[in-house]
Amino acid sequence: MAKKSIASLQTGNVRLTKAIKMVKSPKTGAYTFVSAIMAPDLVNDFLNKK
């Protein structure tokens, strides 16, 4: 499973990060991409969550 945190987004005083994770479907075996925009300190939790 590939994990990557990319693109620091900054709007005003709030700093956000967009994280993209590749997830394998248990049904078909195909990979899909899941992305979310969150605070930088929550990125590791998002990437480690299955």
Side-chain angles (χ1 to χ4, degrees):
M1 177 169 50
K3 303 176 197 176
K4 189 170 186 179
S5 175
I6 61 165
S8 291
L9 307 170
Q10 201 165 13
T11 56
N13 292 335
V14 180
R15 184 167 175 216
L16 300 172
T17 301
K18 181 175 184 179
I20 300 173
K21 176 170 58 170
M22 197 165 75
V23 179
K24 187 174 184 178
S25 171
K27 217 178 214 186
T28 63
Y31 286 94
T32 59
F33 292 96
V34 178
S35 64
I37 297 175
M38 65 196 75
D41 54 340
L42 300 175
V43 172
N44 285 335
D45 294 333
F46 172 73
L47 293 176
N48 292 332
K49 184 174 63 172
K50 289 190 176 187

